[in-house]
Amino acid sequence: MNPFTGFQAMAYKETLHAVRDRFALFAAFMMPLFQLVVLGYAVDTNVRQVPTVVFDQSGLSAGDGQSGNSETRAFIDRLGNSDTFHVYRHVRSDDEMNAEMIAGRARVAVKFPPEFARNLLRGQSAEVLVLVDGSDSAVAGQAVTVSGQIALDESLRRLLGEHAPHPIDVRPKIMFNPASRSPNFFLPGMIAILLVFVTTMLTAFSVVREKERGTLEQLIVTPVRPLALMLGKITPYFVLGLSEMCALLLFMNFVFQVPIHGNAPLLILLSTCYLFVNLTIGILISTKAASQAEAIQLAMMIILPSVFLSGYIFPRDNMPAIFYGLSFLIPATYMVNISRGVILRGAGAAELWLDALVLLALGVIVLLLAARRFRRMIL
Amino acid sequence: MAAIIAENLVRRFDAFTAVDGISFTVQPGEIFGFLGPNGSGKTVTIKMLCGILPLTGGAAQVDGIDVVRDPDSVRARIGYMSQKFALYDDLTVRENLRFYGMVYDIRGAALARRMEEIIARIHLEPFLGRQAGKLSGGWKQRLALGCALLHEPHILFLDEPTAGIDPVARRQLWDLLFEFSGHGMTFFVTTHYMDEAERCSHLAYIYYGRLIADGTPLSLRQLPDMTPAGTYRLEITTSEVTVALRRVRALPAVRSATIFGRSIHALIDATCPQQELARAIGDDGIRIEDLRPLAPSLEDVFVELSERRQRELAA
Ligand SMILES: Nc1ncnc2c1ncn2[C@@H]1O[C@H](COP(=O)(O)OP(=O)(O)OP(=O)(O)O)[C@@H](O)[C@H]1O
Ligand SMILES: [Mg+2]
């Protein structure tokens, strides 16, 4: 018998359900856009204007509380002029300095010991203490790096003279995201994650609802084939997912000004493979879940690892071997790569066809698994 | 060729046996009434015959096709109306019909023609645009019947189609069944209503997994020994039914007594003559209008058979 018998009927009926429940459809469509906007503004991981206090024992002798000697002032000015530090206060004791750090008002404290200026003038090594709050690793890392760079720069200037060229001058150039804007990096990945919800959840619900209402049993007595039933069910959600993808790209491009370096239609084409996997996973969940509550739990069990292991938040290269291995089984991994590839690196089909193929293969495997479970559930 | 042949059907759920070796044959064009108390295995039997529940043992042929070997072909030839209303509440009457037509691969002009036919036969015209969930119970069942009939099945399984709907709707639904049955369709119907059982052409009674009666309503009523040995049945028509019932029931010789309209049906020990009964009901204003021997009703037969089976099990 034709394995697709009943496909049209299912697609027709499922579309009617979706259209009938306009509010749910609208909510499902708006949710990811809303999340994109909120998260897009929230995730700015670029470290700028870190609140900094200065305790200048060396300059205190001047008596006005301000750094009184030119040696420390030159250094403090360079800190302040970097975009990284914002010197908001000068303190006069260790206690005061510690209090600022503990209260969290200061993330960085710079302390010049009394002998700083003297040592510097004598040509001896002068020490500066830079205290860094390690509770935010991105801030701490950048504070250490930048303060070290400033010290090195100052040292070279003193050794070589004011305008002498540095013996070696490193000119780093960041490709693909030259301004290192974090939305550029995060939003392409986020799109992959946000798409999971409209696809996986909605399909899982739609089958479980039929189970709860008893209509599934009635369907099973008809000649509808399991494969046709499942494909028919995912059809309207596939269309919804595809429109969602386009809407997310438009928002990213126009609201957050993230440029798409590659070919946008190609990206949308490749994303169909990803939508397909997620939809089939939704169906697989629904063959297992007996109620909508159970479906949510199962879906969460699958979606949460996608968020953490896909490379969207934590770089996959740094993962322990077992998680790195697991990440290959997660569809979002491939989609994050496709999305960043096209949007940031301008990658094309030549670079990304394998990712798309893996997604397609995963989708077919999950679909067949679901069809088998479906048949067993029926009988 | 028989429409349905069940041979020694068995269905177990773990250690529990829901259907315990039942056999029966349904001829084409029959309205086969399948009766039995709650939980006796009616729905399980239907699901096995429809090919949605595997058999633990035995064999079944539906429309000449082996249910175990070819459940798909069976599904294409039958209709099934489940015990629970199972249409889509948010789809209109017309959309539900169209969906079921499409599911059976009826397309285009053929589908339109078939839908018009069913709509006319079931008189669904006034509600075509209404969502199924907003129909009254009787109309929901009619729609369900329409959906089950769209693909012109040879055999239709109806699991308690009239549960919870009013007497008029019940009567109308049965009239529809007779109409379709007149065209040669076979019906397999479960019900708890005795008046519906009376209208079937063939009855079977299942009692906790065992078939304990099989025949026409008439043949079942005429089964010998349906009145237990040493007893007789009496119909007492009186002006004060409830008072009379209380007094009749107080007699030790009365095994059971039930009101039917203005009369009481009683099962009485042979040791107690009719006159004693009349005396017990009394003469203080209660007039006995009629006192006559009673043949067992279908309900009497089923109750008697159930009790007998219960005694067998206990022994
Ligand atoms: N899937 C199942 N798993 C376990 N037990 C089941 C299952 N389906 C039915 N049963 C049991 O089998 C027995 C027969 O159930 P069935 O639904 O056939 O009764 P029924 O005759 O249709 O009753 P009713 O008149 O209430 O509809 C019941 O005891 C029921 O609990
Ligand atoms: Mg039942």
Side-chain angles (χ1 to χ4, degrees):
Chain A
M1 215 191 261
N2 178 359
F4 298 107
T5 300
F7 166 74
Q8 276 179 14
M10 288 303 298
Y12 164 75
K13 169 187 90 73
E14 216 55 39
T15 308
L16 284 176
H17 287 321
V19 174
R20 255 335 95 82
D21 198 354
R22 251 169 237 163
F23 177 75
L25 193 67
F26 180 73
F29 187 78
M30 292 311 290
M31 187 87 85
L33 292 178
F34 178 72
Q35 284 168 326
L36 183 81
V37 170
V38 170
L39 294 174
Y41 281 117
V43 291
D44 191 345
T45 54
N46 293 352
V47 178
R48 294 174 53 230
Q49 300 291 323
V50 178
T52 305
V53 285
V54 171
F55 178 27
D56 185 0
Q57 286 179 304
S58 170
L60 265 185
S61 46
D64 60 355
Q66 291 295 314
S67 297
N69 67 59
S70 58
E71 314 307 328
T72 54
R73 188 175 295 156
F75 198 95
I76 294 167
D77 283 347
R78 299 210 51 166
L79 284 179
N81 291 340
S82 77
D83 195 31
T84 306
F85 300 102
H86 167 63
V87 179
Y88 74 97
R89 192 174 163 197
H90 289 259
V91 294
R92 313 187 62 172
S93 69
D94 278 324
D95 287 346
E96 245 183 302
M97 182 176 79
N98 288 336
E100 289 298 299
M101 290 293 284
I102 291 167
R105 283 189 292 272
R107 296 260 175 226
V108 175
V110 183
K111 176 179 168 183
F112 298 92
E115 65 280 8
F116 179 84
R118 195 176 59 229
N119 283 354
L120 209 57
L121 290 175
R122 283 191 195 148
Q124 292 174 343
S125 177
E127 288 178 354
V128 188
L129 179 66
V130 178
L131 285 172
V132 179
D133 176 355
S135 51
D136 186 325
S137 62
V139 172
Q142 179 133 354
V144 169
T145 313
V146 174
S147 61
Q149 239 163 34
I150 291 174
L152 189 65
D153 238 35
E154 267 299 295
S155 308
L156 284 173
R157 198 175 58 82
R158 285 178 175 279
L159 287 174
L160 301 171
E162 192 68 46
H163 297 294
H166 289 180
I168 297 176
D169 195 3
V170 175
R171 291 275 167 93
K173 177 169 181 291
I174 300 177
M175 285 174 73
F176 307 131
N177 182 12
S180 283
R181 284 183 67 220
S182 55
N184 289 17
F185 185 68
F186 267 95
L187 295 193
M190 193 185 294
I191 285 178
I193 303 296
L194 292 179
L195 277 178
V196 174
F197 290 89
V198 248
T199 50
T200 307
M201 292 282 221
L202 289 184
T203 35
F205 278 176
S206 97
V207 181
V208 173
R209 209 177 305 130
E210 291 219 29
K211 257 195 226 177
E212 285 180 342
R213 287 214 205 135
T215 50
L216 195 61
E217 185 188 293
Q218 187 76 51
L219 266 186
I220 289 163
V221 195
T222 69
V224 171
R225 311 293 300 173
L227 215 52
L229 193 153
M230 296 188 304
L231 289 175
K233 270 210 168 284
I234 67 179
T235 301
Y237 302 110
F238 182 78
V239 174
L240 183 67
L242 210 55
S243 343
E244 188 80 60
M245 175 72 190
C246 298
L248 287 170
L249 282 182
L250 286 175
F251 260 63
M252 183 195 78
N253 197 212
F254 290 107
V255 179
F256 291 99
Q257 303 285 319
V258 177
I260 300 176
H261 291 297
N263 185 336
L266 173 76
L267 177 56
I268 291 167
L269 183 72
L270 294 180
S271 74
T272 57
C273 302
Y274 179 61
L275 292 173
F276 176 61
V277 192
N278 284 324
L279 292 164
T280 56
I281 290 176
I283 294 276
L284 188 63
I285 288 174
S286 69
T287 61
K288 189 104 183 65
S291 67
Q292 300 196 28
E294 208 175 305
I296 294 191
Q297 286 174 351
L298 280 171
M300 278 304 159
M301 271 171 58
I302 291 185
I303 292 172
L304 286 183
S306 308
V307 176
F308 294 114
L309 297 185
S310 62
Y312 159 59
I313 294 182
F314 309 118
R316 288 171 65 224
D317 306 322
N318 301 343
M319 285 176 189
I322 176 162
F323 290 128
Y324 184 70
L326 266 178
S327 72
F328 282 104
L329 290 176
I330 292 178
T333 301
Y334 301 95
M335 188 60 202
V336 167
N337 190 41
I338 289 174
S339 182
R340 283 184 183 155
V342 174
I343 296 171
L344 296 175
R345 303 196 299 273
E351 290 84 19
L352 299 173
W353 65 272
L354 188 60
D355 294 80
L357 196 67
V358 172
L359 285 176
L360 212 54
L362 280 176
V364 171
I365 291 169
V366 176
L367 188 70
L368 293 179
L369 274 180
R372 267 190 53 178
R373 281 198 51 88
F374 215 88
R375 222 163 275 137
R376 217 175 312 146
M377 179 174 82
I378 291 167
L379 296 179
Chain B
M1 182 187 67
I4 303 172
I5 303 173
E7 283 171 61
N8 246 326
L9 280 187
V10 178
R11 174 66 211 199
R12 280 190 208 97
F13 295 105
D14 300 321
F16 173 73
T17 306
V19 171
D20 193 5
I22 65 174
S23 306
F24 55 83
T25 303
V26 179
Q27 296 302 330
E30 279 187 332
I31 297 186
F32 178 71
F34 197 51
L35 286 84
N38 291 131
S40 55
K42 300 183 296 295
T43 301
V44 170
T45 303
I46 289 189
K47 286 186 181 171
M48 287 195 285
L49 293 175
C50 291
I52 43 178
L53 197 67
L55 322 190
T56 310
Q61 267 186 32
V62 172
D63 207 27
I65 296 167
D66 191 305
V67 171
V68 178
R69 227 172 295 143
D70 195 1
D72 287 327
S73 299
V74 169
R75 281 179 213 158
R77 288 152 186 260
I78 60 159
Y80 168 58
M81 219 172 114
S82 66
Q83 187 166 354
K84 211 175 136 194
F85 177 71
L87 296 178
Y88 298 98
D89 283 348
D90 53 336
L91 266 54
T92 64
V93 168
R94 192 186 277 285
E95 288 162 349
N96 268 297
L97 284 170
R98 181 171 301 129
F99 169 66
Y100 274 97
M102 288 169 79
V103 158
Y104 284 96
D105 229 9
I106 313 173
R107 290 155 189 275
L111 177 58
R113 198 173 342 106
R114 189 64 195 141
M115 278 173 66
E116 287 320 311
E117 219 174 293
I118 287 289
I119 289 167
R121 295 270 287 272
I122 304 196
H123 311 295
L124 286 168
E125 296 91 347
F127 303 111
L128 287 176
R130 189 174 296 187
Q131 293 192 357
K134 294 182 178 144
L135 293 173
S136 68
W139 283 102
K140 276 185 185 168
Q141 290 308 77
R142 278 180 171 228
L143 172 59
L145 181 66
C147 290
L149 286 170
L150 255 179
H151 62 292
E152 302 180 82
H154 300 175
I155 301 166
L156 187 56
F157 291 87
L158 306 167
D159 199 353
E160 295 190 31
T162 56
I165 68 174
D166 70 59
V168 178
R170 223 145 62 76
R171 168 81 41 102
Q172 288 171 341
L173 200 79
W174 271 88
D175 289 346
L176 281 171
L177 298 195
F178 279 115
E179 204 185 312
F180 284 100
S181 153
H183 291 83
M185 194 180 286
T186 311
F187 287 88
F188 185 117
V189 188
T190 73
T191 179
H192 290 293
Y193 293 108
M194 287 306 138
D195 60 319
E196 291 180 1
E198 294 279 4
R199 302 184 76 173
C200 294
S201 55
H202 181 177
L203 286 179
Y205 186 76
I206 183 174
Y207 188 75
Y208 298 108
R210 287 297 194 95
L211 208 67
I212 58 175
D214 183 356
T216 63
L218 187 66
S219 72
L220 291 182
R221 255 186 279 115
Q222 289 175 343
L223 278 180
D225 310 327
M226 277 309 107
T227 305
T231 62
Y232 66 98
R233 292 181 194 277
L234 204 59
E235 180 178 25
I236 309 154
T237 310
T238 139
S239 55
E240 290 281 347
V241 183
T242 42
V243 181
L245 180 73
R246 219 177 308 128
R247 293 182 183 171
V248 168
R249 278 189 175 164
L251 287 178
V254 173
R255 295 243 185 124
S256 71
T258 326
I259 295 180
F260 284 88
R262 293 188 53 241
S263 38
I264 295 167
H265 291 189
L267 182 65
I268 305 156
D269 277 339
T271 54
C272 172
Q274 285 189 28
Q275 294 82 349
E276 198 182 321
L277 209 73
R279 224 175 303 128
I281 292 173
D283 39 24
D284 48 338
I286 298 183
R287 197 159 44 83
I288 294 178
E289 286 162 8
D290 195 10
L291 204 65
R292 66 165 83 185
L294 185 69
S297 69
L298 268 181
E299 187 165 321
D300 293 329
V301 171
F302 292 141
V303 168
E304 175 58 23
L305 287 172
S306 304
E307 280 173 358
R308 232 180 257 175
R309 170 86 186 135
Q310 203 59 54
R311 279 196 297 276
E312 273 173 39
L313 287 177

